[in-house]
PDB file of all heavy atoms in Angstrom:
ATOM      1  N   ASP A   1      15.555 -16.310  34.140  1.00  0.00           N
ATOM      2  CA  ASP A   1      16.873 -16.872  34.106  1.00  0.00           C
ATOM      3  C   ASP A   1      16.901 -18.231  34.575  1.00  0.00           C
ATOM      4  O   ASP A   1      16.931 -18.471  35.757  1.00  0.00           O
ATOM      5  CB  ASP A   1      17.909 -16.035  34.826  1.00  0.00           C
ATOM      6  CG  ASP A   1      19.339 -16.292  34.623  1.00  0.00           C
ATOM      7  OD1 ASP A   1      19.624 -17.412  34.095  1.00  0.00           O
ATOM      8  OD2 ASP A   1      20.269 -15.628  35.271  1.00  0.00           O
ATOM      9  N   THR A   2      16.852 -19.163  33.674  1.00  0.00           N
ATOM     10  CA  THR A   2      16.791 -20.651  34.041  1.00  0.00           C
ATOM     11  C   THR A   2      18.048 -21.115  34.857  1.00  0.00           C
ATOM     12  O   THR A   2      17.893 -22.108  35.533  1.00  0.00           O
ATOM     13  CB  THR A   2      16.677 -21.620  32.755  1.00  0.00           C
ATOM     14  OG1 THR A   2      17.712 -21.331  31.911  1.00  0.00           O
ATOM     15  CG2 THR A   2      15.315 -21.261  32.145  1.00  0.00           C
ATOM     16  N   THR A   3      19.180 -20.453  34.755  1.00  0.00           N
ATOM     17  CA  THR A   3      20.318 -20.783  35.616  1.00  0.00           C
ATOM     18  C   THR A   3      20.133 -20.388  37.067  1.00  0.00           C
ATOM     19  O   THR A   3      20.841 -20.882  38.006  1.00  0.00           O
ATOM     20  CB  THR A   3      21.737 -20.115  35.138  1.00  0.00           C
ATOM     21  OG1 THR A   3      21.444 -18.765  35.258  1.00  0.00           O
ATOM     22  CG2 THR A   3      21.962 -20.561  33.682  1.00  0.00           C
ATOM     23  N   ASN A   4      19.067 -19.605  37.424  1.00  0.00           N
ATOM     24  CA  ASN A   4      18.840 -19.244  38.750  1.00  0.00           C
ATOM     25  C   ASN A   4      17.543 -19.857  39.259  1.00  0.00           C
ATOM     26  O   ASN A   4      16.829 -19.360  40.200  1.00  0.00           O
ATOM     27  CB  ASN A   4      18.491 -17.715  38.840  1.00  0.00           C
ATOM     28  CG  ASN A   4      20.004 -16.995  38.776  1.00  0.00           C
ATOM     29  OD1 ASN A   4      20.883 -17.536  39.254  1.00  0.00           O
ATOM     30  ND2 ASN A   4      20.018 -15.801  38.230  1.00  0.00           N
ATOM     31  N   GLY A   5      17.019 -21.068  38.684  1.00  0.00           N
ATOM     32  CA  GLY A   5      16.019 -21.752  39.210  1.00  0.00           C
ATOM     33  C   GLY A   5      14.642 -21.650  38.578  1.00  0.00           C
ATOM     34  O   GLY A   5      13.707 -22.321  38.940  1.00  0.00           O
ATOM     35  N   TYR A   6      14.498 -20.857  37.548  1.00  0.00           N
ATOM     36  CA  TYR A   6      13.204 -20.719  36.852  1.00  0.00           C
ATOM     37  C   TYR A   6      13.053 -21.974  35.984  1.00  0.00           C
ATOM     38  O   TYR A   6      13.972 -22.417  35.303  1.00  0.00           O
ATOM     39  CB  TYR A   6      13.143 -19.505  36.017  1.00  0.00           C
ATOM     40  CG  TYR A   6      13.007 -18.254  36.779  1.00  0.00           C
ATOM     41  CD1 TYR A   6      14.182 -17.443  37.096  1.00  0.00           C
ATOM     42  CD2 TYR A   6      11.810 -17.793  37.245  1.00  0.00           C
ATOM     43  CE1 TYR A   6      14.066 -16.373  37.910  1.00  0.00           C
ATOM     44  CE2 TYR A   6      11.611 -16.594  38.001  1.00  0.00           C
ATOM     45  CZ  TYR A   6      12.895 -16.016  38.391  1.00  0.00           C
ATOM     46  OH  TYR A   6      12.714 -14.883  39.191  1.00  0.00           O
ATOM     47  N   PRO A   7      11.693 -22.579  35.977  1.00  0.00           N
ATOM     48  CA  PRO A   7      11.664 -23.825  35.339  1.00  0.00           C
ATOM     49  C   PRO A   7      11.648 -23.613  33.775  1.00  0.00           C
ATOM     50  O   PRO A   7      11.902 -24.530  33.045  1.00  0.00           O
ATOM     51  CB  PRO A   7      10.179 -24.235  35.769  1.00  0.00           C
ATOM     52  CG  PRO A   7       9.524 -22.976  36.140  1.00  0.00           C
ATOM     53  CD  PRO A   7      10.625 -22.099  36.744  1.00  0.00           C
ATOM     54  N   GLU A   8      11.312 -22.484  33.277  1.00  0.00           N
ATOM     55  CA  GLU A   8      11.413 -22.210  31.896  1.00  0.00           C
ATOM     56  C   GLU A   8      11.783 -20.713  31.602  1.00  0.00           C
ATOM     57  O   GLU A   8      11.540 -19.890  32.494  1.00  0.00           O
ATOM     58  CB  GLU A   8      10.082 -22.400  31.173  1.00  0.00           C
ATOM     59  CG  GLU A   8       8.868 -21.556  31.733  1.00  0.00           C
ATOM     60  CD  GLU A   8       7.570 -21.980  31.246  1.00  0.00           C
ATOM     61  OE1 GLU A   8       7.040 -23.065  31.687  1.00  0.00           O
ATOM     62  OE2 GLU A   8       7.016 -21.349  30.363  1.00  0.00           O
ATOM     63  N   LYS A   9      12.430 -20.592  30.466  1.00  0.00           N
ATOM     64  CA  LYS A   9      12.791 -19.196  30.073  1.00  0.00           C
ATOM     65  C   LYS A   9      11.593 -18.375  29.912  1.00  0.00           C
ATOM     66  O   LYS A   9      10.521 -18.807  29.614  1.00  0.00           O
ATOM     67  CB  LYS A   9      13.789 -19.179  28.859  1.00  0.00           C
ATOM     68  CG  LYS A   9      13.051 -19.606  27.621  1.00  0.00           C
ATOM     69  CD  LYS A   9      14.051 -19.565  26.446  1.00  0.00           C
ATOM     70  CE  LYS A   9      13.313 -19.867  25.099  1.00  0.00           C
ATOM     71  NZ  LYS A   9      14.052 -19.720  24.023  1.00  0.00           N
ATOM     72  N   LEU A  10      11.813 -17.045  29.937  1.00  0.00           N
ATOM     73  CA  LEU A  10      10.754 -16.120  29.766  1.00  0.00           C
ATOM     74  C   LEU A  10      10.657 -15.953  28.104  1.00  0.00           C
ATOM     75  O   LEU A  10      11.451 -15.314  27.449  1.00  0.00           O
ATOM     76  CB  LEU A  10      11.116 -14.738  30.292  1.00  0.00           C
ATOM     77  CG  LEU A  10      10.175 -13.615  30.119  1.00  0.00           C
ATOM     78  CD1 LEU A  10       8.766 -14.066  30.709  1.00  0.00           C
ATOM     79  CD2 LEU A  10      10.559 -12.333  30.825  1.00  0.00           C
ATOM     80  N   ALA A  11       9.540 -16.635  27.701  1.00  0.00           N
ATOM     81  CA  ALA A  11       9.308 -16.634  26.137  1.00  0.00           C
ATOM     82  C   ALA A  11       8.098 -15.916  25.860  1.00  0.00           C
ATOM     83  O   ALA A  11       7.612 -16.153  24.806  1.00  0.00           O
ATOM     84  CB  ALA A  11       9.416 -18.049  25.751  1.00  0.00           C
ATOM     85  N   TYR A  12       7.394 -15.167  26.809  1.00  0.00           N
ATOM     86  CA  TYR A  12       6.198 -14.448  26.527  1.00  0.00           C
ATOM     87  C   TYR A  12       6.444 -13.257  25.503  1.00  0.00           C
ATOM     88  O   TYR A  12       7.365 -12.498  25.674  1.00  0.00           O
ATOM     89  CB  TYR A  12       5.585 -13.948  27.788  1.00  0.00           C
ATOM     90  CG  TYR A  12       4.333 -13.191  27.503  1.00  0.00           C
ATOM     91  CD1 TYR A  12       3.133 -13.894  27.143  1.00  0.00           C
ATOM     92  CD2 TYR A  12       4.244 -11.811  27.628  1.00  0.00           C
ATOM     93  CE1 TYR A  12       1.980 -13.221  26.850  1.00  0.00           C
ATOM     94  CE2 TYR A  12       3.133 -11.239  27.409  1.00  0.00           C
ATOM     95  CZ  TYR A  12       2.002 -11.875  26.995  1.00  0.00           C
ATOM     96  OH  TYR A  12       0.857 -11.057  26.752  1.00  0.00           O
ATOM     97  N   ASP A  13       5.610 -13.207  24.520  1.00  0.00           N
ATOM     98  CA  ASP A  13       5.594 -12.174  23.476  1.00  0.00           C
ATOM     99  C   ASP A  13       4.766 -10.950  24.076  1.00  0.00           C
ATOM    100  O   ASP A  13       3.557 -11.008  24.011  1.00  0.00           O
ATOM    101  CB  ASP A  13       5.121 -12.575  22.181  1.00  0.00           C
ATOM    102  CG  ASP A  13       5.197 -11.490  21.097  1.00  0.00           C
ATOM    103  OD1 ASP A  13       5.698 -10.327  21.402  1.00  0.00           O
ATOM    104  OD2 ASP A  13       4.774 -11.810  19.960  1.00  0.00           O
ATOM    105  N   PHE A  14       5.463  -9.948  24.597  1.00  0.00           N
ATOM    106  CA  PHE A  14       4.746  -8.863  25.211  1.00  0.00           C
ATOM    107  C   PHE A  14       3.875  -8.046  24.227  1.00  0.00           C
ATOM    108  O   PHE A  14       3.074  -7.277  24.766  1.00  0.00           O
ATOM    109  CB  PHE A  14       5.702  -7.951  26.038  1.00  0.00           C
ATOM    110  CG  PHE A  14       6.264  -8.602  27.221  1.00  0.00           C
ATOM    111  CD1 PHE A  14       7.404  -9.390  27.157  1.00  0.00           C
ATOM    112  CD2 PHE A  14       5.544  -8.529  28.432  1.00  0.00           C
ATOM    113  CE1 PHE A  14       7.863  -9.955  28.306  1.00  0.00           C
ATOM    114  CE2 PHE A  14       6.008  -9.117  29.512  1.00  0.00           C
ATOM    115  CZ  PHE A  14       7.201  -9.880  29.524  1.00  0.00           C
ATOM    116  N   SER A  15       4.098  -8.157  23.059  1.00  0.00           N
ATOM    117  CA  SER A  15       3.372  -7.466  22.121  1.00  0.00           C
ATOM    118  C   SER A  15       1.996  -7.997  21.852  1.00  0.00           C
ATOM    119  O   SER A  15       1.180  -7.294  21.137  1.00  0.00           O
ATOM    120  CB  SER A  15       4.083  -7.275  20.755  1.00  0.00           C
ATOM    121  OG  SER A  15       4.244  -8.552  20.066  1.00  0.00           O
ATOM    122  N   THR A  16       1.601  -9.112  22.381  1.00  0.00           N
ATOM    123  CA  THR A  16       0.337  -9.798  22.095  1.00  0.00           C
ATOM    124  C   THR A  16      -0.694  -9.140  23.020  1.00  0.00           C
ATOM    125  O   THR A  16      -1.907  -9.348  22.869  1.00  0.00           O
ATOM    126  CB  THR A  16       0.411 -11.294  22.311  1.00  0.00           C
ATOM    127  OG1 THR A  16       0.818 -11.499  23.682  1.00  0.00           O
ATOM    128  CG2 THR A  16       1.303 -11.909  21.319  1.00  0.00           C
ATOM    129  N   ASN A  17      -0.391  -8.508  24.090  1.00  0.00           N
ATOM    130  CA  ASN A  17      -1.337  -7.894  25.037  1.00  0.00           C
ATOM    131  C   ASN A  17      -0.887  -6.403  25.451  1.00  0.00           C
ATOM    132  O   ASN A  17       0.363  -6.179  25.554  1.00  0.00           O
ATOM    133  CB  ASN A  17      -1.490  -8.569  26.402  1.00  0.00           C
ATOM    134  CG  ASN A  17      -2.245  -9.966  26.247  1.00  0.00           C
ATOM    135  OD1 ASN A  17      -3.298  -9.927  25.573  1.00  0.00           O
ATOM    136  ND2 ASN A  17      -1.853 -10.981  26.891  1.00  0.00           N
ATOM    137  N   SER A  18      -1.790  -5.483  25.476  1.00  0.00           N
ATOM    138  CA  SER A  18      -1.456  -4.101  25.768  1.00  0.00           C
ATOM    139  C   SER A  18      -1.183  -3.997  27.230  1.00  0.00           C
ATOM    140  O   SER A  18      -0.435  -3.116  27.778  1.00  0.00           O
ATOM    141  CB  SER A  18      -2.487  -3.135  25.255  1.00  0.00           C
ATOM    142  OG  SER A  18      -3.704  -3.410  25.849  1.00  0.00           O
ATOM    143  N   ASP A  19      -1.864  -4.851  28.103  1.00  0.00           N
ATOM    144  CA  ASP A  19      -1.601  -4.744  29.500  1.00  0.00           C
ATOM    145  C   ASP A  19      -1.266  -6.146  30.114  1.00  0.00           C
ATOM    146  O   ASP A  19      -1.977  -7.026  29.879  1.00  0.00           O
ATOM    147  CB  ASP A  19      -2.895  -4.311  30.253  1.00  0.00           C
ATOM    148  CG  ASP A  19      -3.370  -2.828  29.814  1.00  0.00           C
ATOM    149  OD1 ASP A  19      -2.452  -1.936  29.719  1.00  0.00           O
ATOM    150  OD2 ASP A  19      -4.492  -2.577  29.614  1.00  0.00           O
ATOM    151  N   VAL A  20      -0.163  -6.144  30.784  1.00  0.00           N
ATOM    152  CA  VAL A  20       0.170  -7.431  31.460  1.00  0.00           C
ATOM    153  C   VAL A  20       0.628  -7.039  32.839  1.00  0.00           C
ATOM    154  O   VAL A  20       1.008  -5.898  33.090  1.00  0.00           O
ATOM    155  CB  VAL A  20       1.274  -8.200  30.810  1.00  0.00           C
ATOM    156  CG1 VAL A  20       0.824  -8.746  29.492  1.00  0.00           C
ATOM    157  CG2 VAL A  20       2.516  -7.411  30.621  1.00  0.00           C
ATOM    158  N   TYR A  21       0.556  -7.919  33.905  1.00  0.00           N
ATOM    159  CA  TYR A  21       0.726  -7.552  35.171  1.00  0.00           C
ATOM    160  C   TYR A  21       1.758  -8.636  35.773  1.00  0.00           C
ATOM    161  O   TYR A  21       1.459  -9.857  35.603  1.00  0.00           O
ATOM    162  CB  TYR A  21      -0.624  -7.595  35.991  1.00  0.00           C
ATOM    163  CG  TYR A  21      -1.529  -6.596  35.430  1.00  0.00           C
ATOM    164  CD1 TYR A  21      -2.369  -7.011  34.409  1.00  0.00           C
ATOM    165  CD2 TYR A  21      -1.572  -5.296  35.794  1.00  0.00           C
ATOM    166  CE1 TYR A  21      -3.274  -6.086  33.789  1.00  0.00           C
ATOM    167  CE2 TYR A  21      -2.372  -4.374  35.292  1.00  0.00           C
ATOM    168  CZ  TYR A  21      -3.163  -4.747  34.226  1.00  0.00           C
ATOM    169  OH  TYR A  21      -4.058  -3.870  33.693  1.00  0.00           O
ATOM    170  N   LEU A  22       2.712  -8.097  36.582  1.00  0.00           N
ATOM    171  CA  LEU A  22       3.668  -9.114  37.180  1.00  0.00           C
ATOM    172  C   LEU A  22       3.109  -9.349  38.626  1.00  0.00           C
ATOM    173  O   LEU A  22       2.934  -8.426  39.477  1.00  0.00           O
ATOM    174  CB  LEU A  22       5.046  -8.410  37.356  1.00  0.00           C
ATOM    175  CG  LEU A  22       6.136  -9.194  38.034  1.00  0.00           C
ATOM    176  CD1 LEU A  22       6.431 -10.502  37.228  1.00  0.00           C
ATOM    177  CD2 LEU A  22       7.382  -8.355  38.245  1.00  0.00           C
ATOM    178  N   GLN A  23       2.980 -10.667  38.960  1.00  0.00           N
ATOM    179  CA  GLN A  23       2.503 -11.002  40.331  1.00  0.00           C
ATOM    180  C   GLN A  23       3.770 -11.471  40.987  1.00  0.00           C
ATOM    181  O   GLN A  23       4.600 -12.267  40.541  1.00  0.00           O
ATOM    182  CB  GLN A  23       1.541 -12.142  40.170  1.00  0.00           C
ATOM    183  CG  GLN A  23       1.123 -12.611  41.611  1.00  0.00           C
ATOM    184  CD  GLN A  23      -0.062 -13.569  41.523  1.00  0.00           C
ATOM    185  OE1 GLN A  23      -1.079 -13.283  40.963  1.00  0.00           O
ATOM    186  NE2 GLN A  23       0.134 -14.873  42.071  1.00  0.00           N
ATOM    187  N   VAL A  24       4.063 -10.920  42.170  1.00  0.00           N
ATOM    188  CA  VAL A  24       5.166 -11.226  43.041  1.00  0.00           C
ATOM    189  C   VAL A  24       4.645 -11.819  44.309  1.00  0.00           C
ATOM    190  O   VAL A  24       3.891 -11.151  45.041  1.00  0.00           O
ATOM    191  CB  VAL A  24       6.028  -9.969  43.319  1.00  0.00           C
ATOM    192  CG1 VAL A  24       7.224 -10.402  44.096  1.00  0.00           C
ATOM    193  CG2 VAL A  24       6.415  -9.291  41.989  1.00  0.00           C
TER     194      VAL A  24
END
């Protein structure tokens, strides 16, 4: 959500990889 300080919107296409991981 770019209105909350993210530099870019989330535009990643999740269908391109079967496994993705969120780093917090």
Side-chain angles (χ1 to χ4, degrees):
D1 185 356
T2 56
T3 61
N4 285 329
Y6 288 95
E8 61 187 77
K9 68 179 183 170
L10 181 58
Y12 177 71
D13 182 1
F14 288 92
S15 66
T16 59
N17 283 320
S18 60
D19 297 319
V20 293
Y21 303 89
L22 179 65
Q23 179 172 303
V24 181

